[in-house]
Amino acid sequence: MAVVGVLALQGSFNEHIAALRRLGVKGVEIRKPEQLQSVSSLIIPGGESTTMAKLAEYHNLFPALREFVEMGKPVWGTCAGLIFLANKATGQKTGGQKLVGGLDCTVHRNFFGSQIQSFEADLPVPELASKEGGPETFRGIFIRAPAILEAGPEVQVLADYPVPSNKFLDSDSFIEDKKKVAHKCGKVIVAVRQGNILGTAFHPELTADTRWHSYFIKMSNANVGEEASSSSLVPAEVDITSNQQPCSDLPIFQ
């Protein structure tokens, strides 16, 4: 079974590890580039995205994280982790922040507003329900949450959330982005998958529902199986000998 790494610089990494443990899966904390070599998949948790970026840069993690994604290993970003994985982010603090990239989408940081505007909502999740069973909805916890404004053609939308035109439009200076989204389609994307990259704008690790973690574990195990199968393939002309080696009280995130 795959060992799942959890980036443990800041944020809700303990909650992810606890959720993995409930499923009988080992999660290990990742703080240094070389530790990524010991895991087959990675969760980038929610937290304060600017702080996480600064800590990742301090520990020289960005090159290793980008290589991990480019190698096609499964990676899941929740909330701030989703921002990390996006190719483009708007609504950032002055000076911006580094991104890992790999996910063909544009994410708006803190789209839903400040800490006091954090909320919960039942999200229709047909793909998750078909793969993992259970209810047709998932209780999403949004804490200073981002939203995906645009997604590329290879990105599969797993969940979206309706945005009334009179809601969430006065929370920061990036009002125009929100007005355009609300006017254009009346909703924003809050969960996606692109190949081996999974992204959620909400916090599944803060609920008792482990279906998102189970979904990601299956992505991880499938990838491990593919790697094992690939490594066992030997060209016909190669001679194998015996020498062959085998809400306000919510934690502060974003």
Side-chain angles (χ1 to χ4, degrees):
M1 181 174 287
V3 176
V4 180
V6 183
L7 191 65
L9 299 176
Q10 188 263 348
S12 56
F13 57 89
N14 282 323
E15 288 82 356
H16 275 293
I17 290 175
L20 293 170
R21 188 181 303 119
R22 292 198 297 273
L23 292 170
V25 175
K26 182 179 181 180
V28 297
E29 297 179 6
I30 302 296
R31 293 188 176 89
K32 298 178 180 180
E34 58 269 23
Q35 293 174 318
L36 287 168
Q37 299 174 11
S38 64
V39 298
S40 55
S41 59
L42 179 71
I43 296 174
I44 304 178
E48 208 292 315
S49 58
T50 306
T51 299
M52 288 176 63
K54 289 179 179 178
L55 289 170
E57 187 168 10
Y58 176 80
H59 291 287
N60 195 33
L61 270 161
F62 276 105
L65 289 170
R66 288 171 182 147
E67 182 181 11
F68 197 92
V69 171
E70 289 168 1
M71 290 174 65
K73 294 188 177 183
V75 183
W76 174 19
T78 64
C79 203
L82 169 62
I83 298 172
F84 259 48
L85 292 174
N87 284 345
K88 182 180 179 181
T90 65
Q92 299 187 63
K93 292 182 179 179
T94 302
Q97 68 180 62
K98 281 189 174 183
L99 302 174
V100 174
L103 183 59
D104 184 15
C105 66
T106 299
V107 172
H108 191 298
R109 183 183 182 274
N110 289 2
F111 179 89
F112 294 104
S114 64
Q115 180 80 4
I116 61 172
Q117 291 169 302
S118 300
F119 65 99
E120 298 183 16
D122 289 324
L123 306 170
V125 286
E127 168 72 7
L128 184 70
S130 69
K131 292 291 195 297
E132 301 298 327
E136 291 293 321
T137 60
F138 184 90
R139 190 69 173 172
I141 298 178
F142 293 81
I143 305 174
R144 298 183 66 192
I148 297 172
L149 305 183
E150 297 177 342
E154 301 299 319
V155 177
Q156 178 185 9
V157 176
L158 302 179
D160 52 36
Y161 181 77
V163 183
S165 59
N166 63 346
K167 195 173 184 182
F168 306 122
L169 297 182
D170 59 352
S171 55
D172 62 27
S173 60
F174 294 87
I175 294 174
E176 286 306 313
D177 283 345
K178 300 180 183 183
K179 283 184 177 178
K180 289 176 183 177
V181 169
H183 178 72
K184 182 178 179 181
C185 57
K187 60 186 178 182
V188 289
I189 302 167
V190 294
V192 293
R193 178 176 178 180
Q194 181 184 347
N196 278 335
I197 302 177
L198 180 66
T200 56
F202 46 92
H203 291 268
E205 76 279 8
L206 300 182
T207 75
D209 190 338
T210 56
R211 286 182 294 165
W212 283 105
H213 288 83
S214 177
Y215 183 87
F216 182 66
I217 289 164
K218 288 174 182 176
M219 287 172 56
S220 305
N221 288 338
N223 187 70
V224 169
E226 289 173 2
E227 288 182 345
S229 175
S230 175
S231 64
S232 66
L233 296 177
V234 180
E237 67 270 21
V238 175
D239 178 30
I240 302 177
T241 69
S242 59
N243 292 326
Q244 186 73 23
Q245 297 296 316
C247 304
S248 61
D249 58 341
L250 292 170
I252 296 177
F253 291 142
Q254 284 286 48

